[in-house]
C-alpha cells in the first residue's frame, strides 16, 4: 500500500543552493544592523532589497501566493487609511509621509524577501543566520543602530533575541538537537530574566517548553486547526496572565528580585492597573483614544488633550509612593508631543491614528500567528521551534511593541507564510493517505466478497 511521507521531503531545500548564492544571502543579511537617515531611518539591507526589487518587480510578484497578496493589500490599505485620516484631522504632512511610507515600504519588503527566499527553506535559513550574526557584529564593531542605546544594553535590545532565534535555527538545521535546543532555550530565558527582559524571557521559555514536549511526543503530523483549541488557549492564557500578575505582586512585596528590577517592579505595581498598566501605560491610553474615535482615528501626529491628560496621569501615579505626584504630573503635561496617540503597539497605534481600517492588517497578521501557533506548538518537526518562536514574539509585538520595524516584520511574515505552505503540504499528504487507505480497504473487501461468492 502506497503511503505518502511528507516528513521525508518537507523542511529540505526544494532547489539546493550553490555555495555562491548561499554566501551572498548570508553576507547581505549579516550587515542588517547599520542604518542611514533619509526622512526617517533606513537600514542598508532595506535599501539593497528595495533596489533589487525595482529591477525585478515583475519576476518577484510571481513568487507571491494568495496569502501574501492579501497581506500586502491590507498593508497598502492601511497606508491609504492613514492618508485619509490625516487629511480629515488636519495632521502634519511629515507625519503622513512617514506613516504612509512605512506601510508601503513594508509591503514592498514582503515582496522582496519572498522573491529572495523563493519558497526555499535553505534560503530562509541562510538569511536568518546572517540576521542573527549581524547583532553580534554591530556590537563588536561599535556601530549605532536604530535601537537606541543598543551599545549600552545589547542583550536586552536585540542580541538576546538574536541568540534565541539562533538556537531555534540550529534545531532547524540539525533536528536531532531539538531536546538539547529546548534546554538551551530555557537557559537563555533565564538570562533574559536576569537582564530584565521579562517579555522576551516568557516568549523564550514558552518556545523551550514546547520544543522539549514535542521532542518527547510522537506527533509526526501537525494538529488540525480547531477553533475550540484557540478559545481554550485564550482562556488559559488569560488565567495564566492573572496568576502571573498576582505571583509577581507577591514576589515584589517580599523583595525577591535583584535591586534594580525590584525598584522597577515596585514602581510599576503602583499603577491602578497593576503591572500591565505600569509596564505598558501607552496601551491603556491607546484603548481610551480608540473608544473616543474608533472608526476614523485621531491622525498620525494629533493628540487629543483629554487622552494626553490620561496618559500623563498614568505615568505620574506610578511615582505616587515617592510623594512627588503633582510635580511629575505637571512635568508630563508640559511635555511637547507630536508623535500622535501614545500606543507602544502596532495594532493599537494604527487603530488610534487611522481608525479600524488601518488596524485590519494587524488583525490579519495576528490571526495568522494564532493559526500557525495552534497547529505547530506540539508538532515534532525541525522547523517547529523556530515557527513557534516567531509566532509568539510577533503576537507580543503586535499587541505591545512600537513599530512596525519594517524589515523585522517582513522577515516574520516570510516565515509565517512559509509555515502555512508547509502545513498545507502536510494536509494534502494526509488527505492522499486517507484516500489511498480507503481505496485499499475497498479493494480488499471487494476481493474477499468475490471469493466468498465463488465462481
Amino acid at each position: 500500500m502506497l503511503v505518502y511521507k511528507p516528513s521525508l521531503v518537507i523542511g529540505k531545500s526544494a532547489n539546493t543552493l550553490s555555495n555562491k548564492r548561499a554566501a551572498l544571502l548570508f553576507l547581505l543579511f549579516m550587515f542588517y544592523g547599520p542604518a542611514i537617515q533619509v526622512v526617517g531611518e533606513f537600514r542598508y539591507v532595506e535599501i539593497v532589497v528595495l533596489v533589487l526589487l525595482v529591477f525585478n518587480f515583475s519576476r518577484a510578484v510571481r513568487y507571491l501566493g494568495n496569502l501574501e497578496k492579501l497581506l500586502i493589500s491590507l498593508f497598502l490599505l492601511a497606508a491609504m487609511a492613514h492618508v485619509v485620516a490625516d487629511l480629515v484631522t488636519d495632521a502634519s504632512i511629515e507625519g503622513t509621509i512617514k506613516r504612509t511610507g512605512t506601510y508601503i515600504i513594508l509591503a514592498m519588503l514582503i515582496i522582496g524577501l519572498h522573491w529572495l527566499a523563493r519558497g526555499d527553506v535553505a534560503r530562509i535559513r541562510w538569511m536568518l543566520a546572517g540576521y542573527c550574526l549581524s547583532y553580534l557584529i554591530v556590537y563588536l564593531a561599535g556601530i549605532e543602530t536604530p535601537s537606541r542605546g543598543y551599545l549600552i544594553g545589547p542583550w536586552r535590545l536585540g542580541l538576546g533575541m538574536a541568540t534565541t532565534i539562533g538556537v531555534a535555527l540550529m534545531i532547524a538545521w540539525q533536528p536531532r538537537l531539538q531536546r538539547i535546543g529546548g534546554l538551551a532555550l530555557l537557559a537563555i530565558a533565564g538570562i533574559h530574566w536576569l537582564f530584565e527582559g521579562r517579555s522576551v524571557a516568557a516568549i523564550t521559555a514558552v518556545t523551550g517548553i514546547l520544543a522539549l514536549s514535542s521532542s518527547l511526543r510522537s506527533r509526526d503530523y501537525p494538529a488540525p486547526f480547531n477553533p475550540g483549541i484557540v478559545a481554550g488557549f485564550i482562556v488559559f492564557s488569560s488565567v495564566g496572565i492573572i496568576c502571573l500578575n498576582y505571583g509577581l505582586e507577591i514576589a515584589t512585596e517580599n523583595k525577591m528580585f535583584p535591586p534594580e528590577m525590584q525598584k522597577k517592579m515596585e514602581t510599576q505595581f503602583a499603577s491602578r492597573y497593576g503591572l500591565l498598566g505600569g509596564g505598558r501605560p501607552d496601551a491603556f491610553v491607546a484603548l481610551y483614544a480608540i473608544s473616543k474615535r474608533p472608526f476614523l482615528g485621531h491622525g498620525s501626529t494629533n493628540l487629543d488633550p483629554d487622552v494626553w491628560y490620561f496618559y500623563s496621569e498614568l505615568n505620574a501615579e506610578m511615582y505616587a509612593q515617592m510623594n512627588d505626584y503633582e510635580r511629575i504630573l505637571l512635568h508630563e503635561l508640559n511635555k511637547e508631543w507630536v508623535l500622535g496617540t501614545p500606543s507602544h503597539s502596532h495594532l493599537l497605534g494604527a487603530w488610534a491614528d487611522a481608525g479600524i481600517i488601518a488596524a485590519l492588517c494587524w488583525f490579519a497578521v495576528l490571526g495568522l500567528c494564532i493559526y500557525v501557533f495552534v497547529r505547530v506548538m506540539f508538532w515534532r518537526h525541525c522547523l517547529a521551534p523556530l515557527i513557534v518562536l516567531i509566532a509568539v514574539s510577533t503576537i507580543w509585538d503586535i499587541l505591545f511593541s512600537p513599530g512596525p520595524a519594517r524589515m523585522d516584520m517582513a522577515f516574520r511574515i516570510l516565515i509565517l507564510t512559509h509555515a502555512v505552505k508547509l502545513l498545507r503540504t502536510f494536509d494534502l499528504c494526509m488527505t492522499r493517505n486517507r484516500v489511498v487507505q480507503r481505496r485499499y480497504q475497498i479493494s480488499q473487501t471487494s476481493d474477499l466478497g468475490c471469493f466468498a461468492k465463488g465462481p
Side-chain angles (χ1 to χ4, degrees):
M1 180 178 63
L2 176 64
V3 177
Y4 294 92
K5 296 183 177 180
S7 57
L8 298 178
V9 294
I10 299 300
K12 298 181 180 179
S13 173
N15 300 304
T16 304
L17 278 174
S18 66
N19 292 332
K20 182 178 179 181
R21 290 182 179 179
L24 287 174
L25 285 172
F26 179 72
L27 287 172
L28 174 61
F29 289 95
M30 197 170 68
F31 295 98
Y32 172 80
I36 187 173
Q37 188 76 23
V38 184
V39 193
E41 286 180 313
F42 281 82
R43 295 183 186 270
Y44 292 124
V45 173
E46 288 182 287
I47 296 173
V48 172
V49 172
L50 291 173
V51 170
L52 290 173
L53 182 62
V54 168
F55 294 101
N56 298 275
F57 187 80
S58 59
R59 293 174 57 194
V61 172
R62 298 173 189 171
Y63 290 95
L64 298 176
N66 291 332
L67 178 58
E68 293 90 339
K69 292 177 181 177
L70 173 62
L71 292 174
I72 290 168
S73 299
L74 289 175
F75 282 120
L76 294 176
L77 183 63
M80 294 175 59
H82 273 86
V83 172
V84 173
D86 286 1
L87 288 174
V88 173
T89 59
D90 196 26
S92 166
I93 185 65
E94 183 181 356
T96 305
I97 292 172
K98 285 185 176 180
R99 297 295 174 91
T100 304
T102 293
Y103 281 95
I104 293 174
I105 292 171
L106 175 56
M108 296 302 103
L109 288 175
I110 292 172
I111 299 173
L113 289 185
H114 277 81
W115 170 61
L116 289 174
R118 303 186 186 184
D120 191 338
V121 71
R123 289 176 180 258
I124 296 174
R125 285 198 299 246
W126 280 110
M127 291 158 68
L128 270 178
Y131 167 83
C132 293
L133 186 60
S134 69
Y135 281 92
L136 179 62
I137 292 173
V138 296
Y139 174 66
L140 295 177
I143 301 171
E144 287 290 344
T145 71
S147 298
R148 301 303 177 195
Y150 175 76
L151 297 179
I152 300 174
W155 183 269
R156 191 171 58 87
L157 296 177
L159 184 58
M161 190 61 182
T163 303
T164 304
I165 294 174
V167 173
L169 188 60
M170 177 187 67
I171 298 172
W173 245 306
Q174 295 293 333
R176 295 179 182 178
L177 299 177
Q178 185 164 355
R179 195 169 300 179
I180 298 174
L183 293 173
L185 287 169
L186 291 177
I188 293 172
I191 298 174
H192 284 311
W193 181 263
L194 292 176
F195 281 93
E196 300 184 10
R198 295 170 297 185
S199 58
V200 183
I203 292 167
T204 305
V206 168
T207 306
I209 292 170
L210 291 176
L212 275 175
S213 62
S214 59
S215 68
L216 299 173
R217 295 166 66 92
S218 59
R219 185 184 288 277
D220 294 324
Y221 288 88
F225 182 74
N226 186 346
I229 296 177
V230 177
F233 171 73
I234 293 173
V235 172
F236 177 80
S237 300
S238 302
V239 173
I241 290 172
I242 293 172
C243 293
L244 180 63
N245 185 74
Y246 281 116
L248 291 174
E249 187 173 6
I250 293 171
T252 302
E253 290 174 355
N254 290 278
K255 302 185 182 302
M256 298 173 63
F257 297 103
E260 289 297 324
M261 184 179 287
Q262 179 68 31
K263 183 179 179 181
K264 185 176 181 179
M265 297 290 286
E266 289 175 354
T267 301
Q268 293 180 348
F269 268 116
S271 171
R272 79 187 82 163
Y273 298 106
L275 182 62
L276 189 58
R280 289 291 184 270
D282 318 59
F284 284 92
V285 174
L287 288 172
Y288 181 52
I290 290 168
S291 68
K292 297 192 71 175
R293 299 191 69 170
F295 299 107
L296 183 61
H298 297 267
S300 297
T301 54
N302 298 336
L303 182 58
D304 186 283
D306 190 29
V307 173
W308 178 242
Y309 182 83
F310 181 55
Y311 179 61
S312 301
E313 193 178 31
L314 277 180
N315 280 335
E317 72 179 11
M318 288 190 290
Y319 303 94
Q321 75 272 20
M322 300 179 184
N323 299 320
D324 211 7
Y325 174 77
E326 291 185 4
R327 186 185 68 81
I328 295 174
L329 177 60
L330 290 174
H331 174 71
E332 291 286 337
L333 289 172
N334 289 329
K335 283 182 181 178
E336 292 186 10
W337 187 275
V338 291
L339 301 176
T341 303
S343 65
H344 216 276
S345 167
H346 292 47
L347 172 62
L348 301 180
W351 197 344
D353 289 344
I356 184 64
I357 299 298
L360 289 178
C361 58
W362 299 118
F363 278 117
V365 178
L366 193 63
L368 173 63
C369 293
I370 294 172
Y371 171 81
V372 169
F373 175 76
V374 167
R375 297 205 58 188
V376 171
M377 59 181 176
F378 292 121
W379 186 22
R380 190 175 63 183
H381 191 278
C382 61
L383 290 176
L386 177 62
I387 295 170
V388 166
L389 175 63
I390 296 300
V392 177
S393 61
T394 304
I395 291 172
W396 175 267
D397 286 347
I398 289 173
L399 295 176
F400 298 116
S401 292
R406 296 179 296 258
M407 182 60 81
D408 276 35
M409 188 54 64
F411 236 137
R412 295 180 183 196
I413 289 174
L414 168 66
I415 295 169
L416 291 170
T417 52
H418 180 78
V420 171
K421 293 176 183 177
L422 193 66
L423 293 169
R424 286 175 179 171
T425 303
F426 269 85
D427 291 343
L428 179 61
C429 291
M430 291 179 69
T431 301
R432 289 178 176 176
N433 285 341
R434 286 194 291 268
V435 171
V436 169
Q437 290 172 4
R438 179 60 178 163
R439 288 177 179 175
Y440 178 77
Q441 292 173 355
I442 291 174
S443 65
Q444 291 293 98
T445 305
S446 178
D447 290 342
L448 289 173
C450 293
F451 179 78
K453 292 179 180 178

